[in-house]
């Protein structure tokens, strides 16, 4: 793959100067641009998949949505050079690559950048004769759920363009969902999410959507001349959030009353549910307490009876006089909204 130069997508002169003896911008193939965008999407799926934030969920999931759309553009522009596209199409093609590349280089996964990737590809598909009715998924909800302990009913909504094909199908973890509604812009499904064993790590459930390009009204007249359109597959990842904010353990330093002797006493704390409260009574004679917390995203914090600052997902109050320690966890949506 040739050297990429900042600005080639906009300024042909700048690209030529940077590329040296490389081919002129007009002779570059659409396929090579799509290959770079696909590579960026693949890296986003890999890197964002291990991060614990709404932005990371969205980045991974939108990169997964982008992959079949890039394949559709590739099929519709097979053998074409960038210069064969009109100015509007070139702008959307370049925008798709820029947005994917920008998202791939990001560390915090801003939601606007994740949305921009799909918006540019969606616009490009709508300008190509072969794909303007290609089923384009731009959003689905929910994007994340708390991992259920037992099988749980889940209603899923898929939004986009040209989704009103006959017989769209969605499966969750390999189990078929019930279709509840079909329109051009939205599909709704009734699914069952299997129970998930207790875990303190982020996981993903697999959603598989199969649909077909909608057929024009006149298609019945030429059915005998044409084969059915190939199904379009979207493989999506539903983020499964651990059922608790994290795990906690504490140690109290206690005055035993024997000539000033002190002892360390472990305190049972355990996990704290999202939006939950854990109230712990400190041992008689406690003079100092240390609490260690490991959030579900891996971040570790320490609170003591002399210093207990609020943390992104929970806050601790330690009152030695009343011998009381209280851990108050944020609700899930509130916690994920924190930086």
């Amino acid at each position: 793959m040739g050297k990429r130069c900042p600005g080639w997508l906009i300024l042909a002169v700048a690209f030529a100067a940077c590329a040296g003896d490389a081919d002129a911008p007009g002779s570059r193939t659409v396929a090579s641009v799509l290959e770079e965008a696909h590579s960026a999407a693949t890296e986003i799926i890999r890197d964002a998949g291990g991060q614990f934030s709404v932005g990371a969920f969205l980045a991974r999931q939108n990169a997964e949505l982008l992959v079949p759309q890039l394949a559709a553009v590739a099929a519709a522009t097979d053998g074409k050079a960038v210069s064969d596209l009109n100015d509007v199409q070139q702008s959307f093609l370049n925008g798709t690559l820029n947005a994917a590349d920008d998202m791939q280089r990001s560390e915090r996964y801003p939601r606007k950048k994740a949305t921009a990737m799909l918006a540019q590809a969606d616009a490009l598909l709508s300008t190509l004769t072969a794909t303007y009715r290609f089923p384009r998924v731009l959003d689905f909800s929910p994007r994340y759920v708390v991992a259920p302990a037992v099988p749980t009913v889940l209603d899923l909504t898929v939004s986009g363009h040209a989704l009103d094909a006959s017989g769209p199908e969605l499966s969750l973890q390999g189990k078929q969902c019930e279709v509840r509604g079909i329109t051009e812009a939205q599909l709704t499904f009734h699914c069952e999410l299997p129970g998930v064993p207790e875990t303190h790590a982020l996981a993903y459930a697999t959603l598989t959507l199969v649909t077909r390009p909608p057929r024009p009204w006149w298609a019945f007249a030429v059915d005998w001349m044409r084969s059915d359109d190939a199904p379009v597959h979207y493989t999506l990842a539903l983020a499964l959030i651990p059922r608790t904010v994290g795990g906690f353990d504490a140690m109290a330093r206690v005055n035993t009353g024997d000539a000033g002797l002190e002892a360390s006493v472990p305190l049972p704390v355990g996990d704290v549910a999202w939006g939950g409260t854990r109230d712990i009574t400190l041992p008689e004679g406690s003079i100092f307490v240390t609490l260690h917390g490991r959030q579900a995203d891996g971040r570790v914090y320490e609170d003591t009876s002399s210093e207990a600052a609020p943390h992104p997902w929970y806050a601790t109050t330690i009152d030695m006089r009343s011998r009381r320690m209280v851990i108050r966890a944020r609700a899930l949506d509130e916690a994920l909204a924190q930086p």
Side-chain angles (χ1 to χ4, degrees), residues 44 47 59 100-110 113:
I44 293 166
D47 296 340
D101 188 61
D102 196 24
M103 185 81 265
Q104 187 268 321
R105 295 172 186 273
S106 176
E107 294 182 357
R108 292 185 176 273
Y109 300 110
K113 290 184 179 181

Side-chain angles (χ1 to χ4, degrees), residues 147-148 196-203 240-246 271 274 296:
V196 179
E198 181 58 49
T199 176
H200 294 91
L202 173 69
L240 299 179
I241 309 297
R243 291 189 281 276
T244 64
V245 165
D271 294 346
W274 297 103

Side-chain angles (χ1 to χ4, degrees), residues 198 200 244-250 266-273 277-278 280 291-295 314 325 327:
E198 181 58 49
H200 294 91
T244 64
V245 165
F248 299 84
D249 61 82
L267 305 177
V269 183
D271 294 346
V272 180
T277 300
R278 182 63 56 84
I280 299 106
L291 174 72
H292 293 99
R294 177 179 290 275
Q295 291 187 166
Y314 69 93
M325 178 171 66
I327 304 170

Side-chain angles (χ1 to χ4, degrees), residues 8 53 59 82 98 116-117 128 157 173 192 202 209 212 230 236 246 258 270 289 306 308 316 322:
W8 78 265
S53 71
V82 173
N98 278 342
M117 290 192 303
L128 299 170
T157 301
Q173 293 293 78
E192 182 178 285
L202 173 69
L209 175 68
R212 287 176 173 79
L236 312 174
D258 297 331
V289 175
S306 61
T316 305
S322 64

Side-chain angles (χ1 to χ4, degrees), residues 155 178-182 188-190:
D155 290 320
E178 178 187 351
V179 180
R180 288 294 182 89
I182 301 174
T188 54
F189 299 91
H190 192 67

Side-chain angles (χ1 to χ4, degrees), residues 136-192:
R136 305 193 296 280
V137 176
L138 299 180
D139 194 12
F140 68 96
S141 63
R143 294 282 187 138
Y144 62 86
V145 296
V146 174
V150 298
T152 301
V153 169
L154 190 65
D155 290 320
L156 281 139
T157 301
V158 177
S159 303
H161 300 304
L163 299 176
D164 51 340
S166 59
E169 300 175 357
L170 182 73
S171 63
L172 174 57
Q173 293 293 78
K175 186 172 183 178
Q176 205 72 17
C177 300
E178 178 187 351
V179 180
R180 288 294 182 89
I182 301 174
T183 69
E184 190 275 340
Q186 190 174 88
L187 304 174
T188 54
F189 299 91
H190 192 67
C191 307
E192 182 178 285

